[in-house]
Structures are given as structure tokens and as C-alpha cells.
């Protein structure tokens, strides 16, 4: 079976349904996030074992600040703990971790943990794992455009010379190939401001399975569905 699978180089995931899953078990929403964080590790391992090179997960959006304060605090605590624990697990799995999103909007403590993790794992060449944190696709494009506009103001760039490649390189995902497959769990059929620029030609896979139950087997099902797709980039069919 393994040989018949077409392995996407980059998989992006909107991890949805932690709250609903917890509620269905009569538990508080935060219990769902804790279980969701465990599944992140399970799916990272499964992705690596399958030969996926890049995995990007949507952990906290620019809109998630509007949730009740105790939920935001619990999520930040969980993410902070993850960053610290990951220092050990990343080494074991040869995993290079990056955070995408506006880091300046995060606490100093979180920024320090992220910088430490990114620095410690930057030379690992196993799975490239991106965590989207305080991330919004529109905000990312706005920051990229502002950076290019500053160069135009300084006189080092002409507006008409701006290419799509330059915009791509000004995004947080610079150097990372666009996702081949985007997965969203728990029956929501939206992209919710995730990787707006990068998902232009990506195949989408939606499943009813809530994130805390999305394991290696579910990832395999998504890759099997992807394997059957006939990908098209504009008018050109993939060879
Ligand atoms: C969506 O579920 C999930 C989130 C907003 C947070 C995702 C965070 C994690 C999985 C935990 C930590 C992540 C890492 C990288 C360690 P929801 O709360 O919107 O669920 P609902 O739609 O059922 O309410």
C-alpha cells in the first residue's frame, strides 16, 4: 500500500473541533485543547514516518484572542509548555520547528521560548514543522506588503518591479514550498484566514473527525484521498 501512496510534500492542517469533542464527553473545552496538543505530536510522528517533509498547523489565529480570557490563557499556557517540551522531542525526531504569525503580539515569555526552540532546531532536516501562532493570512499579507512598501519608500525598489515571487518571499513561509494538501477537521468547510496566498493550488480534504481523534490512520486516509486527485496548476496538468 505504501508504494501506491502519493506523498504530499507539504501538508497544512486546520485543527478544529477540540471544544465540540470535549463537550460530547461532558468535559470542559480546555480538556479538548489538551487532547488536541497530544494529537499534534502523534500526527507529527505519523507525517514524518510517511515521508511528508513539511507540516504546518493552525494553532492560534489572530481572531482567537476574542475567545473568553480563561480559554485564551489556557491555550497560551499549553502552547508555551509545548514549545519547551519540544526542545527535547525535536532533537529525538530531527524536527526543525518554526513559528509563523505575528510574534510581536505574543508575550515576551512566549517569544523567548519560540526563539530558543527555533534556534535549537534550525539545522535539523527531518520534518519541517510550522506552528501558526497569532497567525492570520490577511495580516501576513499586510505585513509582507508593508515591508515591500518600505523598500519602495526608501527608493530601493520600484512598485512595478514587484513580482509574485517577491511577495511570496516576504511572507512568514519564505523558503517553504506551498502546501500540496490542506486538511480541516470536524466538518467545517472554510479556510478561516489560513495561508491565503499559499493555498492557491492546494488540494483540500475535509473530514468529520474532530481534531482530538485525528490520528496517524486519519492522516493516511487524507493522503489516500489526495493520491486519487488529478492535480491541476492552472491549465497545466501535473506530470
Ligand atoms: C479549534 O478547536 C482549535 C483551536 C482553536 C486551537 C488549536 C490548538 C491545539 C490543537 C492545541 C495546541 C497546539 C499545539 C501546536 C501544541 P475549537 O476550540 O475551535 O473547537 P470547536 O470548534 O469545537 O469549538
Amino acid at each position: 500500500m505504501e508504494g501506491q501512496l502519493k506523498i504530499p510534500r507539504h501538508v497544512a492542517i486546520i485543527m478544529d473541533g477540540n471544544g465540540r469533542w470535549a463537550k460530547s464527553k461532558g468535559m470542559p473545552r480546555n480538556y479538548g485543547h489538551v487532547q488536541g496538543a497530544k494529537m499534534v505530536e502523534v500526527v507529527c510522528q505519523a507525517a514524518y514516518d510517511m515521508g511528508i517533509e513539511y507540516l504546518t498547523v493552525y494553532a492560534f489565529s489572530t481572531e482567537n484572542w476574542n475567545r473568553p480570557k480563561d480559554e485564551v490563557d489556557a491555550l497560551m499556557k499549553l502552547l508555551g509548555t509545548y514549545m519547551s517540551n519540544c526542545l527535547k522531542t525535536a532533537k529525538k525526531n530531527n524536527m526543525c520547528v518554526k513559528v509563523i504569525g505575528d510574534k510581536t503580539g505574543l508575550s515576551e515569555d512566549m517569544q523567548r521560548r519560540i526563539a530558543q526552540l527555533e534556534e535549537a532546531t534550525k539545522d535539523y532536516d527531518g520534518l519541517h514543522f510550522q506552528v501558526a501562532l497569532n497567525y492570520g493570512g490577511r495580516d501576513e499579507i499586510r505585513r509582507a506588503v508593508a515591508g515591500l512598501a518600505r523598500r519602495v519608500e526608501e527608493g530601493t525598489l520600484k512598485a512595478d518591479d514587484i513580482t509574485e515571487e517577491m511577495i511570496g518571499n516576504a511572507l512568514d513561509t519564505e523558503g517553504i514550498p506551498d502546501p500540496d494538501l490542506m486538511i480541516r477537521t470536524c466538518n467545517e468547510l472554510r479556510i478561516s484566514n489560513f495561508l491565503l496566498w499559499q493555498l492557491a493550488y492546494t488540494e483540500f480534504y475535509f473530514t468529520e473527525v474532530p481534531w482530538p481523534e485525528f490520528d496517524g490512520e486519519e492522516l493516511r486516509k487524507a493522503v489516500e484521498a489526495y493520491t486519487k486527485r488529478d492535480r491541476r496548476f492552472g491549465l497545466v496538468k501535473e506530470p
Side-chain angles (χ1 to χ4, degrees), residues 15-21 29 33 36-37 40 57-59 64 67 71 75 78-79 82 129 131 186 211:
M15 310 178 289
D16 206 355
N18 293 347
R20 276 166 285 171
W21 177 83
R29 293 178 58 79
H33 295 316
V40 169
V57 297
Y58 206 1
N64 283 154
R67 293 189 175 205
E71 186 173 348
L75 269 170
L78 197 58
L79 286 159
Y82 176 81
F129 181 49
V131 181
C186 212
W211 177 251

Side-chain angles (χ1 to χ4, degrees), residues 140 143-145 147-148 165-174:
E140 180 190 37
R143 287 184 286 109
V145 168
L148 293 173
E165 195 187 356
M166 284 164 76
I167 297 174
N169 288 338
L171 298 172
D172 299 340
T173 48
E174 180 197 1

Side-chain angles (χ1 to χ4, degrees), residues 8-13 52 54-56 179-183 219 223:
R9 191 167 178 214
H10 183 176
V11 176
I13 308 183
I52 291 166
Y54 296 84
L55 179 70
T56 303
D180 303 288
L181 172 65
M182 193 284 292
I183 299 169
L219 179 66
V223 171

Side-chain angles (χ1 to χ4, degrees), residues 59-145:
F60 194 92
S61 73
T62 46
E63 290 75 31
N64 283 154
W65 297 108
N66 298 323
R67 293 189 175 205
K69 187 178 179 307
D70 71 325
E71 186 173 348
V72 170
D73 289 349
L75 269 170
M76 283 299 155
K77 194 164 171 233
L78 197 58
L79 286 159
T81 305
Y82 176 81
M83 298 297 161
S84 299
N85 290 345
C86 204
L87 271 174
K88 288 167 235 148
T89 49
K91 188 174 176 33
K92 198 176 82 197
N93 296 334
N94 201 18
M95 186 166 86
C96 171
V97 188
K98 276 197 187 123
V99 168
I100 60 168
D102 185 0
K103 294 176 197 160
T104 64
L106 298 169
S107 72
E108 275 181 24
D109 175 60
M110 183 69 91
Q111 290 187 44
R112 192 179 43 76
R113 287 177 200 235
I114 291 169
Q116 206 181 4
L117 181 59
E118 288 184 335
E119 175 59 29
T121 64
K122 69 178 188 325
D123 295 326
Y124 295 155
D125 59 0
L127 182 71
H128 292 261
F129 181 49
Q130 290 68 238
V131 181
L133 184 45
N134 193 25
Y135 177 89
R138 288 183 175 179
D139 177 65
E140 180 190 37
I141 293 170
R142 185 201 64 75
R143 287 184 286 109
V145 168

